[in-house]
C-alpha cells in the first residue's frame, strides 16, 4: 500500500512539473494579476462562457433563467398589486384584472415563466385593459428571445470546439531513439482514430529547457525548434493511418550531446505539435503532447501496427501502438558518425554463436570469448564486451580475457 501511495505521489509530482500534460493542457499559473485585468474576462464574456467547464456553464445558465423568471414575476406581481388584482385585496365582482388568474406571487412567477419560455398560456393570460402590462410583456419576450439565443449559441459553440476533434488524435506514450535510414533518430508515433482526413497537416516540436547565456542570464523556458519528418515529407501529410515521426539527431540537434547513460539525467521537456484542418467541419485545431527524459527510450523501436489481411484490406492494430522492442543502437550520436568508436547499445544483448561461456573462480562469474582469440582482444579494446548486471567495460575483465587468450 505504501509503495502504491509513493508511486502515485511521484507520478502526481511529475504531472505538476510538466508544462504541457500528455493530453495537451498547459500547466501554468498566473500570479499577481491586477483586479482591473480580471474584468477583461467579463468584457469578453462570449469567449469566457465558451471556454469554461460544462458544469459551470449549466449552473450559470440555470441561475440566470430562474433569476430572470423571478425578477419578471416580481414585476407582474407589482402590476397586479397596483391594479388591485390580488386575492387579499378583495377585488369587486366586476373588476377587470390586468392578467387573469394572477392573484399572488406564485401565480405571478408561473405567468412570467410561461411568457418567457413561450410555452403557451392556460388560465393565466393578459387582458388589454392595462398599458403597463402590455409594455412589460413585450420587454420580457424580447429579453427572453435574446437570452435563449445567447445560451443556445454558447452551447453549440462549445460542442463544436476544434479541440474536441483533437481528442481523436493520439500520440504514443513514449518516444524512442534508434537507427532509421542510416541515422540516429528520435521516433514518435501519431494516429488519427477517425477515417476522415486532416487537411494541411503540419508537425513540429519545441524543446523546453533551462539555459544560461554567456552573459550569465538564466532563461527558464528556452525554446529550441525540433524538426520532425515522415517518409512522405513534412507538409500535406496523407494522414489516413498511423504515422511515424522522426527527428534526425545530427550535429545541429540538441540531442547530439546526449548519450544513453546521460539522457535520463537531463532536464528538458519535448513538446510536439500537430496542426491541421478537419475535413468534415473545416475547423482548424492543434494537438499537443509532451515527453520528458524518463519517457524517451534509448535503444528501442516501435512494433509494426499496419498489416494486410488475406482479403487485401489494410488493418491497424492499436494494441501494439505504444509497444516497443530493444534494437541495436549506438551509445551516442557521435558513435553513430564515428566508425572508430562505434558502440551499439542493447539491453538484452545480441546472441553470437562464436562466443563460449567460461567459468572464473574469482569475482568474475562469466565472461565471453570468441574464436579466434584476436577477435576477443579486439572486441574488448573497442568496449563491445557487455557483462550483466555489471558495467559493460571493466578493465579487470579485459585483463582476464587477455590472460586466457595467451594460455590457449
Amino acid at each position: 500500500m505504501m509503495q502504491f501511495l509513493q508511486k502515485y505521489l511521484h507520478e502526481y509530482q511529475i504531472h505538476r512539473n510538466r508544462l504541457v500534460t500528455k493530453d495537451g493542457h498547459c500547466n501554468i499559473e498566473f500570479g499577481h494579476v491586477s483586479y482591473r485585468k480580471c474584468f477583461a474576462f467579463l468584457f469578453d464574456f462570449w469567449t469566457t462562457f465558451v471556454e469554461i467547464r460544462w458544469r459551470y456553464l449549466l449552473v450559470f445558465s440555470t441561475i440566470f433563467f430562474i433569476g430572470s423568471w423571478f425578477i419578471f414575476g416580481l414585476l407582474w406581481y407589482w402590476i397586479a398589486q397596483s391594479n388591485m388584482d390580488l386575492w387579499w385585496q378583495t377585488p369587486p365582482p366586476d373588476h377587470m384584472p390586468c392578467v387573469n388568474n394572477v392573484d399572488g406571487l406564485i401565480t405571478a412567477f408561473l405567468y412570467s415563466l410561461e411568457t418567457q419560455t413561450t410555452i403557451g398560456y392556460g388560465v393565466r393570460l393578459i387582458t388589454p385593459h392595462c398599458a403597463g402590462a402590455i409594455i412589460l410583456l413585450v420587454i420580457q419576450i424580447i429579453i427572453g428571445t435574446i437570452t435563449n439565443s445567447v445560451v443556445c449559441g454558447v452551447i453549440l459553440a462549445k460542442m463544436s470546439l476544434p479541440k474536441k476533434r483533437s481528442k481523436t488524435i493520439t500520440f504514443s506514450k513514449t518516444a524512442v531513439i534508434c537507427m532509421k535510414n542510416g541515422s540516429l533518430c528520435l521516433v514518435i508515433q501519431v494516429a488519427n482514430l477517425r477515417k476522415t482526413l486532416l487537411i494541411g497537416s503540419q508537425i513540429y516540436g519545441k524543446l523546453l529547457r533551462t539555459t544560461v547565456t554567456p552573459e550569465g542570464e538564466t532563461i527558464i523556458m528556452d525554446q529550441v525548434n525540433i524538426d520532425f519528418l515522415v517518409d512522405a515529407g513534412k507538409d500535406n501529410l496523407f494522414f489516413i493511418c498511423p504515422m511515424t515521426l522522426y527527428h534526425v539527431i545530427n550535429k545541429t540537434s540538441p540531442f547530439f550531446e546526449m548519450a544513453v547513460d546521460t539522457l535520463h539525467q537531463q532536464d528538458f521537456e519535448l513538446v510536439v505539435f500537430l496542426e491541421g484542418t478537419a475535413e468534415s467541419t473545416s475547423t482548424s485545431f492543434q494537438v499537443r503532447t509532451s515527453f520528458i527524459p524518463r519517457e524517451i527510450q534509448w535503444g528501442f523501436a516501435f512494433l509494426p501496427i499496419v498489416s494486410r489481411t488475406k482479403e487485401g484490406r489494410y488493418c491497424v492494430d492499436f494494441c501494439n501502438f505504444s509497444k516497443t522492442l530493444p534494437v541495436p543502437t549506438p551509445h551516442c550520436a557521435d558513435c553513430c558518425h564515428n566508425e572508430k568508436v562505434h558502440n551499439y547499445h542493447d539491453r538484452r544483448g545480441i546472441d553470437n554463436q562464436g562466443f563460449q561461456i567460461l567459468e572464473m573462480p574469482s569475482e568474475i562469474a562469466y565472461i565471453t570469448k570468441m574464436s579466434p582469440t584476436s577477435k576477443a582482444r579486439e572486441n574488448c579494446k573497442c568496449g563491445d564486451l557487455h557483462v550483466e548486471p555489471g558495467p559493460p567495460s571493466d578493465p579487470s575483465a579485459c585483463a582476464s580475457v587477455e590472460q586466457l587468450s595467451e594460455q590457449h
Side-chain angles (χ1 to χ4, degrees):
M1 183 66 182
M2 291 299 298
Q3 294 180 355
F4 176 78
L5 182 60
Q6 292 177 358
K7 182 179 179 181
Y8 174 78
L9 293 176
H10 181 66
E11 295 292 338
Y12 179 73
Q13 185 66 25
I14 293 176
H15 176 78
R16 290 190 60 183
N17 293 337
R18 310 175 76 110
L19 178 63
V20 180
T21 60
K22 298 297 289 185
D23 55 357
H25 290 87
C26 295
N27 188 16
I28 190 170
E29 297 180 359
F30 297 96
H32 302 288
V33 180
S34 61
Y35 291 101
R36 184 175 300 177
K37 296 294 183 181
C38 294
F39 285 105
F41 293 96
L42 297 179
F43 296 146
D44 188 16
F45 70 93
W46 178 263
T47 305
T48 302
F49 278 99
V50 169
E51 292 182 350
I52 61 175
R53 296 182 180 274
W54 277 104
R55 53 178 175 266
Y56 299 130
L57 177 61
L58 295 177
V59 170
F60 291 153
S61 300
T62 303
I63 294 175
F64 184 79
F65 278 119
I66 295 178
S68 62
W69 298 337
F70 182 74
I71 290 174
F72 279 102
L74 293 178
L75 295 177
W76 288 113
Y77 181 80
W78 174 72
I79 290 179
Q81 183 181 8
S82 62
N83 196 43
M84 305 293 292
D85 294 340
L86 302 180
W87 64 270
W88 51 269
Q89 293 176 328
T90 62
D94 57 347
H95 177 72
M96 298 299 297
C98 294
V99 180
N100 292 330
N101 296 313
V102 175
D103 52 3
L105 184 59
I106 297 178
T107 54
F109 176 79
L110 293 176
Y111 179 75
S112 173
L113 187 150
E114 294 173 0
T115 301
Q116 190 165 333
T117 56
T118 64
I119 60 177
Y121 295 123
V123 295
R124 284 176 290 272
L125 70 160
I126 193 171
T127 60
H129 302 288
C130 299
I134 297 175
I135 295 175
L136 181 60
L137 177 67
V138 174
I139 294 175
Q140 185 175 6
I141 291 177
I142 294 175
I143 293 178
T145 303
I146 296 175
T147 302
N148 293 336
S149 301
V150 171
V151 174
C152 292
V154 169
I155 293 176
L156 291 177
K158 194 171 182 60
M159 293 177 61
S160 60
L161 281 178
K163 65 180 181 180
K164 300 302 180 183
R165 178 63 176 89
S166 63
K167 299 297 183 181
T168 56
I169 305 295
T170 178
F171 287 89
S172 57
K173 295 181 180 179
T174 59
V176 298
I177 295 180
C178 60
M179 296 296 297
K180 185 176 180 63
N181 298 330
S183 301
L184 189 63
C185 299
L186 174 72
V187 184
I188 300 173
Q189 286 197 140
V190 59
N192 179 17
L193 301 181
R194 290 187 179 273
K195 294 184 179 181
T196 55
L197 298 178
L198 300 180
I199 304 173
S201 301
Q202 295 182 354
I203 300 174
Y204 59 95
K206 297 286 184 181
L207 185 69
L208 309 179
R209 59 184 178 180
T210 302
T211 58
V212 180
T213 62
E215 295 78 13
E217 180 185 1
T218 302
I219 303 177
I220 300 297
M221 196 183 299
D222 186 22
Q223 301 184 14
V224 181
N225 292 327
I226 303 295
D227 294 330
F228 283 96
L229 303 173
V230 294
D231 294 333
K234 184 178 179 181
D235 299 329
N236 299 324
L237 306 177
F238 185 54
F239 203 179
I240 189 62
C241 63
M243 294 187 304
T244 300
L245 317 177
Y246 62 92
H247 164 71
V248 180
I249 304 178
N250 50 26
K251 294 184 178 181
T252 61
S253 173
F255 298 96
F256 186 78
E257 301 297 333
M258 302 180 189
V260 60
D261 50 355
T262 62
L263 174 63
H264 292 174
Q265 301 174 4
Q266 303 293 325
D267 185 14
F268 65 85
E269 184 174 350
L270 175 62
V271 185
V272 183
F273 302 86
L274 170 63
E275 296 178 351
T277 303
E279 183 182 27
S280 55
T281 59
S282 300
T283 55
S284 301
F285 66 93
Q286 183 185 83
V287 191
R288 299 177 295 269
T289 190
S290 67
F291 300 90
I292 56 179
R294 65 190 298 265
E295 296 173 345
I296 300 178
Q297 297 178 321
W298 194 298
F300 285 80
F302 290 108
L303 292 175
I305 59 176
V306 180
S307 60
R308 269 187 109 167
T309 60
K310 296 180 180 180
E311 294 78 11
R313 300 184 62 182
Y314 293 94
C315 179
V316 179
D317 184 12
F318 282 98
C319 181
N320 298 330
F321 180 69
S322 295
K323 292 184 179 180
T324 58
L325 76 162
V327 293
T329 306
H331 182 269
C332 60
D334 191 23
C335 298
C336 180
H337 298 282
N338 192 350
E339 296 181 356
K340 295 182 179 180
V341 294
H342 204 284
N343 186 14
Y344 282 92
H345 169 75
D346 189 356
R347 295 186 176 181
R348 296 190 309 176
I350 304 174
D351 294 334
N352 194 328
Q353 302 298 330
F355 280 87
Q356 299 177 1
I357 299 178
L358 300 179
E359 296 183 358
M360 297 298 295
S362 59
E363 65 276 1
I364 303 177
Y366 296 99
I367 62 175
T368 55
K369 176 184 175 184
M370 178 185 290
S371 297
T373 58
S374 59
K375 293 184 179 180
R377 187 179 296 106
E378 181 181 358
N379 291 338
C380 182
K381 292 181 181 179
C382 293
D384 287 338
L385 182 62
H386 187 64
V387 182
E388 292 186 353
S393 58
D394 191 352
S396 61
C398 293
S400 300
V401 174
E402 293 181 356
Q403 293 175 4
L404 290 174
S405 301
E406 293 177 359
Q407 294 178 3
H408 289 271

